[in-house]
Coordinates of all heavy atoms in Angstrom, one line a residue:
A86 N 5.0 19.1 -4.6 CA 4.3 17.9 -5.1 C 3.4 18.2 -6.2 O 2.8 19.3 -6.2 CB 3.6 17.2 -3.9
S87 N 3.2 17.2 -7.1 CA 2.2 17.3 -8.2 C 1.1 16.3 -7.8 O 1.3 15.2 -7.6 CB 2.9 16.9 -9.5 OG 1.9 16.7 -10.5
V88 N -0.1 16.8 -7.8 CA -1.3 16.0 -7.3 C -2.3 15.9 -8.4 O -3.2 16.7 -8.5 CB -1.9 16.6 -6.1 CG1 -3.0 15.6 -5.6 CG2 -0.9 16.8 -5.0
P89 N -2.2 15.0 -9.4 CA -3.3 14.8 -10.4 C -4.5 14.3 -9.7 O -4.5 13.5 -8.8 CB -2.7 13.8 -11.3 CG -1.2 13.7 -11.0 CD -1.1 14.0 -9.6
C90 N -5.7 14.8 -10.2 CA -7.0 14.3 -9.7 C -7.4 13.1 -10.5 O -6.6 12.5 -11.1 CB -8.0 15.4 -9.7 SG -7.6 16.8 -8.6
R91 N -8.7 12.9 -10.6 CA -9.2 11.7 -11.3 C -8.8 11.7 -12.8 O -8.5 12.7 -13.4 CB -10.7 11.6 -11.1 CG -11.1 11.5 -9.7 CD -12.6 11.5 -9.6 NE -13.1 11.7 -8.3 CZ -14.4 11.8 -7.9 NH1 -15.3 11.7 -8.8 NH2 -14.7 11.9 -6.7
R92 N -8.8 10.5 -13.4 CA -8.4 10.4 -14.8 C -9.4 11.1 -15.7 O -10.6 11.2 -15.4 CB -8.4 8.9 -15.2 CG -7.3 8.1 -14.6 CD -7.2 6.8 -15.2 NE -6.1 6.0 -14.7 CZ -4.9 6.0 -15.3 NH1 -4.7 6.8 -16.3 NH2 -3.9 5.3 -14.8
S93 N -8.9 11.6 -16.8 CA -9.8 12.2 -17.8 C -9.2 11.9 -19.2 O -8.1 11.4 -19.3 CB -9.9 13.7 -17.6 OG -8.7 14.3 -18.0
R94 N -9.9 12.2 -20.2 CA -9.5 11.9 -21.5 C -8.3 12.7 -21.9 O -7.5 12.3 -22.7 CB -10.6 12.2 -22.5 CG -10.3 11.8 -23.9 CD -11.6 12.0 -24.8 NE -12.6 11.1 -24.3 CZ -13.8 11.1 -24.9 NH1 -14.1 11.9 -25.9 NH2 -14.8 10.3 -24.4
D95 N -8.1 13.9 -21.2 CA -7.0 14.8 -21.5 C -5.7 14.4 -20.8 O -4.7 14.9 -21.1 CB -7.3 16.2 -21.2 CG -8.4 16.7 -22.1 OD1 -8.5 16.2 -23.2 OD2 -9.1 17.6 -21.7
R96 N -5.8 13.5 -19.8 CA -4.6 13.1 -19.0 C -3.9 12.0 -19.7 O -4.4 11.0 -20.1 CB -5.1 12.7 -17.6 CG -3.9 12.2 -16.8 CD -4.4 11.8 -15.4 NE -3.3 11.2 -14.7 CZ -3.5 10.6 -13.5 NH1 -4.7 10.6 -12.9 NH2 -2.5 10.1 -12.8
P97 N -2.5 12.1 -19.8 CA -1.8 11.0 -20.3 C -2.0 9.7 -19.6 O -2.1 9.7 -18.3 CB -0.3 11.5 -20.1 CG -0.4 13.0 -20.0 CD -1.7 13.2 -19.3
K98 N -2.1 8.6 -20.3 CA -2.4 7.3 -19.6 C -1.3 6.9 -18.7 O -1.5 6.2 -17.7 CB -2.7 6.3 -20.7 CG -4.0 6.5 -21.5 CD -4.3 5.4 -22.4 CE -5.5 5.7 -23.2 NZ -5.8 4.6 -24.2
R99 N 0.0 7.1 -19.1 CA 1.1 6.7 -18.3 C 2.0 7.8 -18.0 O 2.2 8.7 -18.8 CB 1.9 5.6 -19.0 CG 1.1 4.3 -19.1 CD 2.0 3.2 -19.8 NE 1.3 2.0 -19.9 CZ 1.3 1.0 -19.0 NH1 2.0 1.2 -17.9 NH2 0.7 -0.1 -19.1
R100 N 2.5 7.8 -16.8 CA 3.5 8.8 -16.4 C 4.9 8.3 -16.9 O 5.2 7.2 -16.7 CB 3.5 9.1 -14.9 CG 2.2 9.6 -14.5 CD 2.3 10.1 -13.1 NE 3.2 11.2 -13.0 CZ 3.4 12.0 -12.0 NH1 2.6 11.8 -10.9 NH2 4.2 13.0 -12.0
T101 N 5.7 9.2 -17.4 CA 7.0 8.8 -17.8 C 7.9 8.5 -16.6 O 7.6 9.0 -15.5 CB 7.7 9.9 -18.6 OG1 7.9 11.1 -17.8 CG2 6.8 10.3 -19.8
A102 N 9.0 7.8 -16.8 CA 10.0 7.5 -15.7 C 10.5 8.8 -15.2 O 10.8 9.0 -14.0 CB 11.1 6.6 -16.2
A103 N 10.7 9.8 -16.0 CA 11.3 11.1 -15.6 C 10.3 11.8 -14.7 O 10.7 12.4 -13.6 CB 11.6 12.0 -16.8
A104 N 9.0 11.7 -15.0 CA 8.0 12.3 -14.1 C 7.9 11.7 -12.8 O 7.7 12.3 -11.8 CB 6.6 12.3 -14.8
M105 N 8.2 10.4 -12.7 CA 8.1 9.7 -11.4 C 9.3 9.9 -10.6 O 9.4 9.6 -9.4 CB 7.9 8.2 -11.7 CG 6.6 7.8 -12.3 SD 6.4 6.1 -12.6 CE 6.1 5.5 -11.0
R106 N 10.3 10.6 -11.2 CA 11.5 11.0 -10.4 C 11.5 12.5 -10.1 O 12.5 13.0 -9.6 CB 12.8 10.7 -11.3 CG 13.1 9.2 -11.5 CD 14.5 9.1 -12.0 NE 14.7 9.7 -13.2 CZ 14.6 9.2 -14.4 NH1 14.2 7.9 -14.5 NH2 14.8 9.8 -15.5
S107 N 10.3 13.1 -10.3 CA 10.2 14.5 -10.0 C 10.4 14.7 -8.4 O 10.3 13.8 -7.7 CB 8.9 15.1 -10.4 OG 7.8 14.4 -9.9
P108 N 10.5 16.0 -8.0 CA 10.9 16.2 -6.5 C 10.0 15.4 -5.6 O 10.4 14.8 -4.7 CB 10.7 17.7 -6.4 CG 11.0 18.3 -7.7 CD 10.5 17.2 -8.7
L109 N 8.7 15.5 -5.8 CA 7.8 14.7 -4.9 C 6.4 14.7 -5.6 O 5.8 15.7 -5.8 CB 7.6 15.4 -3.5 CG 6.7 14.7 -2.6 CD1 7.2 13.4 -2.2 CD2 6.5 15.5 -1.3
S110 N 6.0 13.5 -6.0 CA 4.7 13.4 -6.7 C 3.9 12.2 -6.3 O 4.5 11.1 -6.1 CB 4.9 13.5 -8.2 OG 5.9 12.5 -8.6
F111 N 2.6 12.3 -6.2 CA 1.8 11.2 -5.9 C 0.4 11.6 -6.3 O 0.0 12.7 -6.3 CB 1.8 10.7 -4.4 CG 1.6 11.8 -3.4 CD1 0.3 12.1 -3.0 CD2 2.6 12.6 -2.9 CE1 0.0 13.0 -2.1 CE2 2.3 13.6 -2.0 CZ 1.0 13.8 -1.6
P112 N -0.5 10.6 -6.6 CA -1.8 10.9 -7.1 C -2.8 11.1 -6.0 O -2.5 10.8 -4.8 CB -2.2 9.6 -7.9 CG -1.4 8.6 -7.4 CD -0.1 9.2 -6.8
R113 N -4.0 11.6 -6.3 CA -5.0 11.9 -5.3 C -5.5 10.6 -4.7 O -5.7 10.5 -3.5 CB -6.2 12.6 -6.0 CG -7.3 12.9 -5.1 CD -7.0 14.1 -4.2 NE -8.1 14.4 -3.4 CZ -8.1 14.6 -2.1 NH1 -7.0 14.4 -1.4 NH2 -9.2 15.0 -1.5
R114 N -5.7 9.6 -5.5 CA -6.2 8.3 -5.0 C -5.0 7.5 -4.5 O -4.4 6.7 -5.3 CB -6.9 7.5 -6.1 CG -8.3 8.1 -6.5 CD -9.3 7.9 -5.4 NE -9.4 6.5 -5.0 CZ -10.2 5.7 -5.6 NH1 -10.9 6.1 -6.7 NH2 -10.3 4.5 -5.2
V115 N -4.6 7.7 -3.3 CA -3.3 7.1 -2.9 C -3.3 5.6 -2.7 O -2.3 5.0 -2.8 CB -2.9 7.7 -1.5 CG1 -2.6 9.2 -1.7 CG2 -3.9 7.5 -0.4
E116 N -4.6 5.0 -2.6 CA -4.6 3.6 -2.5 C -4.2 2.9 -3.8 O -3.8 1.8 -3.9 CB -6.0 3.1 -2.1 CG -6.4 3.5 -0.7 CD -7.1 4.9 -0.7 OE1 -7.3 5.4 -1.8 OE2 -7.6 5.3 0.3
R117 N -4.5 3.6 -4.9 CA -4.2 3.0 -6.2 C -2.8 3.1 -6.6 O -2.2 2.1 -7.2 CB -5.1 3.8 -7.3 CG -6.6 3.6 -7.1 CD -7.0 2.1 -7.5 NE -8.4 2.0 -7.4 CZ -9.2 2.1 -8.4 NH1 -8.7 2.5 -9.6 NH2 -10.5 2.0 -8.3
R118 N -2.1 4.2 -6.4 CA -0.7 4.4 -6.8 C 0.1 4.8 -5.6 O 0.1 5.9 -5.2 CB -0.6 5.4 -7.9 CG -1.3 5.1 -9.1 CD -0.5 4.2 -10.0 NE 0.8 4.8 -10.4 CZ 0.9 5.7 -11.4 NH1 -0.2 6.0 -12.1 NH2 2.0 6.2 -11.6
Q119 N 0.7 3.8 -4.9 CA 1.2 4.1 -3.6 C 2.7 4.2 -3.6 O 3.5 3.3 -3.4 CB 0.8 2.9 -2.6 CG -0.7 2.9 -2.5 CD -1.2 1.6 -1.8 OE1 -0.5 0.7 -1.7 NE2 -2.5 1.6 -1.4
W120 N 3.1 5.4 -3.9 CA 4.6 5.7 -3.9 C 4.8 7.2 -3.5 O 4.0 8.0 -3.8 CB 5.2 5.3 -5.2 CG 4.5 5.8 -6.4 CD1 3.6 5.0 -7.2 CD2 4.5 7.1 -7.1 NE1 3.1 5.7 -8.2 CE2 3.7 7.0 -8.2 CE3 5.2 8.2 -6.8 CZ2 3.5 8.1 -9.0 CZ3 5.0 9.3 -7.7 CH2 4.2 9.2 -8.7
L121 N 5.9 7.4 -3.0 CA 6.3 8.8 -2.6 C 7.8 8.9 -2.7 O 8.5 8.2 -2.1 CB 5.9 9.0 -1.1 CG 6.2 10.4 -0.6 CD1 5.3 11.4 -1.3 CD2 5.8 10.5 0.9
T122 N 8.2 9.8 -3.6 CA 9.7 10.0 -3.9 C 10.1 11.4 -3.7 O 9.5 12.3 -4.1 CB 10.0 9.5 -5.3 OG1 9.5 8.2 -5.5 CG2 11.5 9.6 -5.6
A123 N 11.2 11.6 -3.0 CA 11.8 12.9 -2.8 C 13.1 13.1 -3.6 O 13.8 12.1 -3.8 CB 12.0 13.2 -1.3
R124 N 13.4 14.3 -4.0 CA 14.6 14.5 -4.8 C 15.9 14.2 -3.9 O 16.8 13.6 -4.3 CB 14.7 15.9 -5.3 CG 16.0 16.2 -6.0 CD 15.9 17.6 -6.6 NE 14.9 17.8 -7.6 CZ 14.6 18.9 -8.2 NH1 15.2 20.0 -7.8 NH2 13.7 19.0 -9.2
S125 N 15.9 14.8 -2.7 CA 17.1 14.7 -1.9 C 17.2 13.4 -1.1 O 18.2 12.8 -0.9 CB 17.1 15.8 -0.9 OG 15.9 15.8 -0.1
K126 N 16.0 12.8 -0.7 CA 16.0 11.5 0.0 C 14.6 11.0 -0.1 O 13.7 11.6 -0.3 CB 16.4 11.7 1.4 CG 15.5 12.7 2.2 CD 16.0 13.0 3.6 CE 15.1 14.0 4.3 NZ 15.5 14.3 5.7
R127 N 14.6 9.7 0.1 CA 13.3 9.0 0.0 C 12.6 9.1 1.4 O 13.2 8.8 2.4 CB 13.4 7.5 -0.4 CG 12.1 6.8 -0.5 CD 12.3 5.4 -1.1 NE 13.2 4.7 -0.3 CZ 14.0 3.8 -0.8 NH1 14.1 3.6 -2.1 NH2 14.9 3.1 0.0
V128 N 11.4 9.6 1.4 CA 10.6 9.7 2.6 C 9.6 8.5 2.6 O 8.7 8.4 1.8 CB 9.8 11.0 2.7 CG1 9.1 11.1 4.0 CG2 10.8 12.2 2.6
K129 N 9.7 7.6 3.6 CA 8.9 6.4 3.6 C 7.7 6.7 4.5 O 7.8 7.1 5.6 CB 9.6 5.2 4.1 CG 10.8 4.9 3.2 CD 11.6 3.7 3.7 CE 12.8 3.4 2.8 NZ 13.6 2.3 3.3
T130 N 6.5 6.5 4.0 CA 5.3 6.8 4.7 C 4.3 5.6 4.5 O 4.6 4.6 3.9 CB 4.6 8.1 4.2 OG1 4.1 7.8 2.9 CG2 5.6 9.2 4.1
A131 N 3.0 5.9 4.9 CA 2.0 4.9 4.7 C 1.7 4.6 3.3 O 0.9 3.7 2.9 CB 0.7 5.3 5.5
F132 N 2.2 5.4 2.3 CA 1.9 5.2 0.9 C 2.6 3.9 0.5 O 2.1 3.2 -0.4 CB 2.5 6.3 0.1 CG 1.8 7.6 0.2 CD1 2.1 8.5 1.1 CD2 0.7 7.8 -0.7 CE1 1.4 9.7 1.1 CE2 -0.1 8.9 -0.6 CZ 0.3 9.9 0.3
Y133 N 3.7 3.6 1.2 CA 4.4 2.3 0.9 C 4.0 1.3 1.8 O 3.5 1.5 2.9 CB 5.9 2.6 1.1 CG 6.7 3.1 -0.1 CD1 7.4 4.3 0.0 CD2 6.7 2.5 -1.3 CE1 8.1 4.9 -1.0 CE2 7.4 3.0 -2.4 CZ 8.1 4.2 -2.2 OH 8.8 4.7 -3.3
M134 N 4.2 0.0 1.5 CA 4.0 -1.1 2.4 C 4.6 -2.3 1.7 O 4.9 -2.3 0.5 CB 2.5 -1.3 2.6 CG 1.7 -1.8 1.4 SD 1.6 -0.7 0.0 CE 0.5 0.5 0.8
C135 N 4.8 -3.4 2.5 CA 5.4 -4.6 1.9 C 4.2 -5.3 1.2 O 3.1 -5.0 1.3 CB 5.9 -5.5 3.0 SG 7.4 -4.8 3.8
G136 N 4.6 -6.3 0.4 CA 3.7 -7.2 -0.3 C 4.0 -8.6 -0.2 O 5.2 -9.0 -0.2
I137 N 3.1 -9.5 -0.1 CA 3.3 -10.9 0.1 C 2.5 -11.7 -0.9 O 1.5 -11.2 -1.4 CB 3.1 -11.4 1.5 CG1 1.6 -11.3 1.8 CG2 3.9 -10.7 2.5 CD1 1.2 -11.9 3.2
A138 N 3.0 -12.9 -1.3 CA 2.2 -13.8 -2.1 C 2.7 -15.2 -1.8 O 3.8 -15.4 -1.3 CB 2.4 -13.4 -3.6
G139 N 1.8 -16.2 -2.2 CA 2.3 -17.5 -2.0 C 1.3 -18.6 -2.6 O 0.2 -18.2 -2.9
I140 N 1.8 -19.8 -2.6 CA 1.0 -20.9 -3.1 C 1.2 -22.1 -2.2 O 2.3 -22.4 -1.7 CB 1.4 -21.3 -4.5 CG1 1.2 -20.1 -5.5 CG2 0.7 -22.6 -5.0 CD1 1.8 -20.4 -6.9
Y141 N 0.1 -22.8 -1.8 CA 0.2 -24.0 -0.9 C -0.7 -25.1 -1.4 O -1.9 -24.9 -1.6 CB -0.2 -23.6 0.5 CG -0.1 -24.7 1.5 CD1 1.1 -25.1 2.0 CD2 -1.3 -25.3 2.0 CE1 1.2 -26.2 2.9 CE2 -1.2 -26.3 3.0 CZ 0.1 -26.7 3.4 OH 0.1 -27.7 4.3
H142 N -0.1 -26.2 -1.7 CA -0.8 -27.4 -2.1 C -1.3 -28.2 -0.9 O -0.5 -28.8 -0.2 CB 0.0 -28.3 -3.0 CG 0.3 -27.7 -4.4 ND1 -0.5 -27.7 -5.4 CD2 1.4 -27.0 -4.8 CE1 0.0 -27.1 -6.5 NE2 1.2 -26.6 -6.1
I143 N -2.6 -28.2 -0.7 CA -3.1 -28.7 0.5 C -3.3 -30.3 0.4 O -3.3 -31.0 1.4 CB -4.5 -28.1 0.9 CG1 -4.9 -28.4 2.3 CG2 -5.5 -28.4 -0.1 CD1 -6.1 -27.6 2.8
E144 N -3.4 -30.8 -0.8 CA -3.7 -32.2 -0.9 C -2.4 -33.0 -1.0 O -2.2 -34.0 -0.2 CB -4.6 -32.5 -2.1 CG -6.0 -31.8 -2.0 CD -6.8 -32.0 -3.3 OE1 -6.2 -32.6 -4.3 OE2 -7.9 -31.6 -3.3
T145 N -1.5 -32.7 -2.0 CA -0.3 -33.4 -2.1 C 0.8 -32.3 -2.3 O 0.5 -31.2 -2.8 CB -0.2 -34.3 -3.4 OG1 -0.6 -33.5 -4.5 CG2 -1.3 -35.4 -3.2
A146 N 2.0 -32.7 -2.0 CA 3.1 -31.7 -2.0 C 3.7 -31.6 -3.4 O 4.9 -32.0 -3.7 CB 4.2 -32.1 -1.0
K147 N 2.9 -30.9 -4.3 CA 3.4 -30.7 -5.6 C 4.4 -29.6 -5.6 O 4.4 -28.7 -4.8 CB 2.2 -30.3 -6.5 CG 1.2 -31.4 -6.6 CD 0.0 -30.8 -7.5 CE -1.1 -31.9 -7.6 NZ -2.2 -31.3 -8.4
P148 N 5.4 -29.6 -6.5 CA 6.4 -28.5 -6.6 C 5.7 -27.2 -7.0 O 4.8 -27.1 -7.8 CB 7.4 -29.0 -7.6 CG 6.7 -30.0 -8.5 CD 5.7 -30.6 -7.6
V149 N 6.3 -26.1 -6.5 CA 5.8 -24.7 -6.8 C 6.9 -24.1 -7.7 O 8.1 -24.0 -7.3 CB 5.6 -23.9 -5.5 CG1 5.2 -22.5 -5.9 CG2 4.4 -24.5 -4.7
D150 N 6.5 -23.5 -8.8 CA 7.4 -22.9 -9.7 C 7.7 -21.5 -9.2 O 6.9 -20.6 -9.1 CB 6.8 -22.8 -11.1 CG 7.7 -22.2 -12.2 OD1 8.9 -21.9 -11.8 OD2 7.3 -22.2 -13.3
P151 N 9.0 -21.2 -8.9 CA 9.4 -19.8 -8.4 C 9.0 -18.7 -9.4 O 8.7 -17.6 -9.0 CB 10.9 -19.9 -8.3 CG 11.2 -21.4 -8.1 CD 10.2 -22.1 -8.9
S152 N 9.0 -19.0 -10.7 CA 8.7 -18.0 -11.7 C 7.2 -17.6 -11.6 O 6.8 -16.5 -11.9 CB 9.0 -18.5 -13.1 OG 8.2 -19.6 -13.5
R153 N 6.4 -18.5 -11.2 CA 5.0 -18.2 -10.9 C 4.8 -17.2 -9.8 O 4.0 -16.3 -9.8 CB 4.2 -19.4 -10.7 CG 2.7 -19.2 -10.6 CD 1.9 -20.5 -10.8 NE 2.0 -20.9 -12.2 CZ 1.5 -22.0 -12.7 NH1 0.8 -22.8 -11.9 NH2 1.6 -22.3 -14.0
L154 N 5.6 -17.4 -8.7 CA 5.6 -16.5 -7.6 C 6.1 -15.1 -8.0 O 5.5 -14.1 -7.6 CB 6.5 -17.0 -6.5 CG 6.0 -18.3 -5.8 CD1 7.1 -18.9 -4.9 CD2 4.7 -18.1 -5.0
R155 N 7.1 -15.1 -8.8 CA 7.6 -13.8 -9.3 C 6.6 -13.1 -10.2 O 6.4 -11.9 -10.1 CB 8.9 -14.0 -10.1 CG 10.1 -14.3 -9.2 CD 11.4 -14.3 -9.9 NE 11.5 -15.3 -10.9 CZ 12.1 -16.5 -10.7 NH1 12.6 -16.8 -9.5 NH2 12.2 -17.4 -11.7
A156 N 5.8 -13.9 -10.9 CA 4.8 -13.3 -11.8 C 3.7 -12.7 -10.9 O 3.1 -11.6 -11.2 CB 4.2 -14.3 -12.7
M157 N 3.4 -13.3 -9.8 CA 2.4 -12.8 -8.9 C 2.9 -11.5 -8.1 O 2.1 -10.6 -7.8 CB 2.0 -13.8 -7.8 CG 1.3 -15.1 -8.4 SD 1.1 -16.4 -7.3 CE 0.0 -15.7 -6.1
L158 N 4.2 -11.4 -7.9 CA 4.7 -10.3 -7.3 C 4.8 -9.1 -8.2 O 4.7 -7.9 -7.7 CB 6.1 -10.6 -6.7 CG 6.2 -11.5 -5.6 CD1 7.7 -11.8 -5.2 CD2 5.5 -11.0 -4.3
H159 N 5.0 -9.3 -9.5 CA 5.3 -8.2 -10.4 C 4.2 -7.1 -10.4 O 4.6 -5.9 -10.4 CB 5.4 -8.8 -11.8 CG 5.7 -7.8 -12.9 ND1 6.9 -7.2 -13.0 CD2 4.9 -7.2 -13.8 CE1 6.9 -6.3 -14.0 NE2 5.7 -6.3 -14.5
P160 N 2.9 -7.4 -10.5 CA 2.0 -6.3 -10.5 C 1.9 -5.5 -9.2 O 1.2 -4.5 -9.1 CB 0.7 -6.9 -10.9 CG 0.8 -8.3 -10.4 CD 2.2 -8.7 -10.6
M161 N 2.5 -6.1 -8.1 CA 2.5 -5.4 -6.8 C 3.8 -4.8 -6.5 O 4.1 -4.5 -5.3 CB 2.1 -6.4 -5.7 CG 0.8 -7.1 -5.9 SD 0.4 -8.2 -4.5 CE 1.7 -9.4 -4.5
A162 N 4.7 -4.6 -7.5 CA 6.0 -4.1 -7.3 C 6.1 -2.8 -6.5 O 7.0 -2.5 -5.8 CB 6.8 -3.9 -8.6
H163 N 5.0 -1.9 -6.6 CA 5.0 -0.6 -5.9 C 5.0 -0.8 -4.4 O 5.3 0.1 -3.7 CB 3.8 0.1 -6.4 CG 2.5 -0.6 -6.1 ND1 2.0 -1.5 -7.0 CD2 1.6 -0.5 -5.1 CE1 0.8 -2.0 -6.5 NE2 0.6 -1.4 -5.4
R164 N 4.6 -2.0 -3.9 CA 4.5 -2.2 -2.5 C 5.9 -2.4 -1.8 O 6.0 -2.3 -0.6 CB 3.7 -3.4 -2.2 CG 2.2 -3.3 -2.7 CD 1.4 -4.5 -2.3 NE 1.2 -4.5 -0.9 CZ 0.1 -4.0 -0.3 NH1 -0.9 -3.4 -1.1 NH2 -0.1 -4.0 1.0
G165 N 6.9 -2.8 -2.6 CA 8.2 -3.1 -2.0 C 9.4 -2.6 -2.8 O 9.9 -3.3 -3.6
P166 N 9.8 -1.3 -2.6 CA 10.9 -0.8 -3.4 C 12.3 -1.2 -2.9 O 13.3 -0.9 -3.6 CB 10.7 0.7 -3.2 CG 10.1 0.9 -1.8 CD 9.2 -0.3 -1.6
D167 N 12.4 -1.8 -1.7 CA 13.7 -2.1 -1.2 C 14.2 -3.5 -1.4 O 15.3 -3.8 -0.9 CB 13.7 -1.8 0.3 CG 13.5 -0.3 0.6 OD1 13.9 0.5 -0.3 OD2 12.9 0.1 1.6
G168 N 13.5 -4.4 -2.0 CA 13.9 -5.7 -2.2 C 12.8 -6.7 -2.4 O 11.6 -6.4 -2.1
S169 N 13.1 -7.8 -3.0 CA 12.2 -8.9 -3.2 C 12.8 -10.2 -3.1 O 14.1 -10.3 -3.2 CB 11.5 -8.7 -4.6 OG 12.5 -8.9 -5.6
G170 N 12.0 -11.3 -2.9 CA 12.6 -12.6 -2.8 C 11.5 -13.7 -2.8 O 10.3 -13.4 -2.6
T171 N 11.9 -14.9 -3.2 CA 11.0 -16.0 -3.2 C 11.7 -17.2 -2.5 O 12.9 -17.2 -2.3 CB 10.7 -16.5 -4.7 OG1 12.0 -16.8 -5.3 CG2 10.0 -15.4 -5.4
W172 N 10.8 -18.1 -2.0 CA 11.3 -19.3 -1.3 C 10.3 -20.4 -1.6 O 9.1 -20.2 -1.7 CB 11.3 -19.0 0.2 CG 11.4 -20.3 1.0 CD1 12.5 -20.9 1.4 CD2 10.3 -21.1 1.6 NE1 12.3 -22.0 2.2 CE2 10.9 -22.1 2.3 CE3 8.9 -20.9 1.6 CZ2 10.1 -23.1 2.9 CZ3 8.2 -21.9 2.2 CH2 8.8 -23.0 2.9
T173 N 10.9 -21.6 -1.9 CA 10.0 -22.7 -2.2 C 10.5 -24.0 -1.5 O 11.7 -24.1 -1.1 CB 10.0 -23.1 -3.7 OG1 11.4 -23.3 -4.2 CG2 9.5 -21.9 -4.6
A174 N 9.6 -24.8 -1.2 CA 9.8 -26.1 -0.6 C 8.7 -27.1 -1.2 O 7.8 -26.6 -1.8 CB 9.8 -26.1 0.9
P175 N 8.9 -28.4 -1.0 CA 7.8 -29.3 -1.5 C 6.4 -28.9 -1.1 O 6.1 -28.8 0.1 CB 8.2 -30.6 -0.9 CG 9.7 -30.6 -0.7 CD 10.0 -29.1 -0.3

Side-chain angles (χ1 to χ4, degrees):
S87 169
V88 186
C90 297
R91 303 177 187 175
R92 286 187 180 274
S93 74
R94 186 172 299 177
D95 294 334
R96 177 180 171 183
K98 292 183 179 180
R99 291 182 178 272
R100 299 193 62 168
T101 63
M105 296 180 72
R106 291 194 300 269
S107 58
L109 179 66
S110 53
F111 54 89
R113 178 74 174 132
R114 291 290 304 277
V115 297
E116 296 90 358
R117 292 292 184 89
R118 298 278 300 280
Q119 299 169 343
W120 44 264
L121 181 64
T122 305
R124 174 178 294 173
S125 58
K126 60 185 177 180
R127 183 171 56 212
V128 181
K129 298 178 180 180
T130 72
F132 288 94
Y133 275 121
M134 70 292 291
C135 296
I137 65 175
I140 299 172
Y141 182 72
H142 290 278
I143 192 171
E144 297 175 356
T145 57
K147 300 178 183 178
V149 174
D150 186 357
S152 63
R153 182 160 294 176
L154 294 171
R155 288 191 290 269
M157 294 171 66
L158 292 175
H159 180 72
M161 303 187 295
H163 58 278
R164 300 184 70 93
D167 294 329
S169 63
T171 59
W172 167 86
T173 59

